[in-house]
């Protein structure tokens, strides 16, 4: 079985993402626009990288990622290589909540205001997921996550 990863990066040109992805994943990375399924090496990962409006506007979709390739260490390696913060969805299915992965490998839950547009979701107004915020208290979905409000995992992903 293969995986699909959807990430966001804080302000980096797509042309810099492809080589960094290849290094982070330890695999050949083929841009979706030129990937020919009949000629793909079995170990290749197909990725689409594009710019979108809003915060963390560099979008990354990785298709056909082998199940045995772990996502957290992969995104942490990418954040380190690009020296940029990266985002991935967390486990709550809350569209406003993401995991922020810093270049040093630190992981923390954050929230954004999300606006739906013709170009997809636009993120703005980042804030930490903390029990001090009314939306993260009590019975919120935040407490159902393995990444509880106020949690910070220092360098966990990079390990």
């Amino acid at each position: 079985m293969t995986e699909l990863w959807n990430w966001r990066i804080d302000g980096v040109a797509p042309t810099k993402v492809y080589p960094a992805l290849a290094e982070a994943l330890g695999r050949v990375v083929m841009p979706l626009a030129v990937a020919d399924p009949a000629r793909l090496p079995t170990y290749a990962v197909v990725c689409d990288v594009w710019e979108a409006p809003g915060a963390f506007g560099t979008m990354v979709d990785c298709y056909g990622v082998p199940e045995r390739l772990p996502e957290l260490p992969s995104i942490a390696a990418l954040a380190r290589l690009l020296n940029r913060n990266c985002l991935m969805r967390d486990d709550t299915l809350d569209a406003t909540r993401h995991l922020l992965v810093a270049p040093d490998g630190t992981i923390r839950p954050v929230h954004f205001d999300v606006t739906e547009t013709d170009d997809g979701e636009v993120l703005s107004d980042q804030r930490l997921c903390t029990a001090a915020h009314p939306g993260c208290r009590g019975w919120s979905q935040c407490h159902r996550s393995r990444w509880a409000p106020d949690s910070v995992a220092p360098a966990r992903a990079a390990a």
Side-chain angles (χ1 to χ4, degrees):
M1 184 168 182
T2 58
E3 301 281 328
L4 168 64
W5 293 343
N6 305 106
W7 300 338
R8 292 173 170 258
I9 306 170
D10 186 19
V12 64
T15 55
K16 293 185 181 207
V17 174
Y18 288 106
L21 264 173
E23 186 174 342
L25 300 178
R27 298 187 171 267
V28 172
V29 171
M30 298 292 297
L32 180 64
V34 298
D36 178 358
R39 304 180 106 188
L40 281 179
T42 57
Y43 50 85
V45 174
V46 177
C47 294
D48 194 13
V49 181
W50 72 98
E51 290 292 327
F56 290 85
T58 304
M59 310 291 291
V60 179
D61 286 346
C62 295
Y63 306 94
V65 179
E67 191 175 81
R68 67 187 175 281
L69 194 61
E71 187 172 14
L72 279 173
S74 297
I75 193 172
L78 183 64
R80 180 181 45 77
L81 289 165
L82 293 172
N83 197 31
R84 294 281 196 269
N85 287 327
C86 296
L87 287 180
M88 62 183 282
R89 292 286 179 142
D90 79 338
D91 56 353
T92 63
L93 302 178
D94 177 346
T96 71
R97 194 168 192 262
H98 294 77
L99 295 178
L100 177 70
V101 181
D104 69 356
T106 302
I107 304 169
R108 68 182 68 226
V110 294
H111 286 273
F112 289 88
D113 290 341
V114 178
T115 305
E116 286 291 334
T117 70
D118 291 341
D119 295 322
E121 291 181 343
V122 175
L123 303 182
S124 61
D125 299 323
Q126 176 184 331
R127 68 173 176 79
L128 294 176
C129 180
T130 175
H133 190 277
C136 300
R137 287 189 206 139
W139 295 101
S140 76
Q141 290 185 15
C142 302
H143 290 278
R144 296 182 191 142
S145 173
R146 74 179 224 189
W147 306 95
D150 299 306
S151 66
V152 177
R156 177 179 178 171

